[in-house]
C-alpha cells in the first residue's frame, strides 16, 4: 500500500504562513484524488482542500482564499500553502489519498499528520 508523509508543520504567530508537504511513495497520478484535512483537539476531522488527478481543486468555503492546494507531479508531492494564519487554525493536519473503483473508495491512505500551532 502507498504511504504518505507530511512535513512542514510548526509554530507560527498570527498572520504568518506555512507550507505543508505531502510526499507519496508512488506517482500521485495513481490516486483519483488527494486532499488535506485537519483535526483540532476535541473536534472532528475537517476537510480543507482536495485536488483530483486532473488537477481540479476544491476547498472548504471558510478556508478558500487563505489556503491553496497544489502539486508537483515530478516529486509526487501535494502542498498546502496556508496564509494569514489564525489561532483557530491550530490543529494536526493530515494528507489523504484514494482511488475509486466503481464509485467505491479503495486504497484510502492517510499520512501520520503534522502539527500546526498558531499563537496570538
Amino acid at each position: 500500500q502507498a504511504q504518505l508523509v507530511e512535513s512542514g508543520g510548526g509554530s507560527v504567530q498570527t498572520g504568518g504562513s506555512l507550507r505543508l508537504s505531502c510526499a507519496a511513495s508512488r506517482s500521485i497520478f495513481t490516486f483519483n484524488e488527494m486532499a488535506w484535512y485537519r483535526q483540532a483537539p476535541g473536534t472532528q476531522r475537517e476537510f480543507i482542500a482536495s485536488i483530483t488527478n486532473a488537477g481540479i481543486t476544491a476547498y472548504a468555503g471558510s478556508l478558500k482564499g487563505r489556503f491553496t492546494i497544489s502539486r508537483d507531479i515530478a516529486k509526487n508531492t501535494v502542498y498546502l500553502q496556508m496564509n494569514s494564519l489564525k489561532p483557530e487554525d491550530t490543529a494536526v493536519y493530515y494528507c489523504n489519498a484514494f482511488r475509486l473503483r466503481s464509485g467505491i473508495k479503495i486504497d484510502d491512505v492517510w499520512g501520520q499528520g503534522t502539527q500546526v500551532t498558531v499563537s496570538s
Side-chain angles (χ1 to χ4, degrees):
Q1 189 177 16
Q3 293 183 327
L4 304 175
V5 178
E6 300 103 331
S7 61
S11 297
V12 65
Q13 291 189 328
T14 297
S17 297
L18 284 173
R19 189 178 78 157
L20 305 182
S21 299
C22 172
S25 59
R26 69 185 192 213
S27 170
I28 59 177
F29 274 138
T30 65
F31 301 107
N32 288 93
E33 189 168 303
M34 296 185 71
W36 286 98
Y37 289 76
R38 68 184 183 183
Q39 188 169 21
T43 69
Q44 291 191 334
R45 196 165 291 189
E46 173 189 21
F47 170 80
I48 299 171
S50 63
I51 185 166
T52 71
N53 56 8
I56 299 170
T57 59
Y59 293 90
S62 60
L63 300 175
K64 190 174 183 179
R66 291 196 300 125
F67 290 15
T68 303
I69 191 169
S70 63
R71 66 184 180 179
D72 185 328
I73 295 168
K75 295 182 178 179
N76 293 329
T77 299
V78 171
Y79 303 99
L80 184 68
Q81 178 68 43
M82 305 185 295
N83 299 326
S84 302
L85 285 164
K86 307 173 182 179
E88 51 264 43
D89 294 318
T90 295
V92 178
Y93 285 68
Y94 296 92
C95 183
N96 171 246
F98 61 86
R99 290 195 295 147
L100 292 171
R101 182 177 292 167
S102 301
I104 298 172
K105 276 190 182 181
I106 59 172
D107 283 352
D108 193 8
V109 184
W110 290 87
Q112 82 287 353
T114 185
Q115 176 71 45
V116 171
T117 302
V118 184
S119 58
S120 56

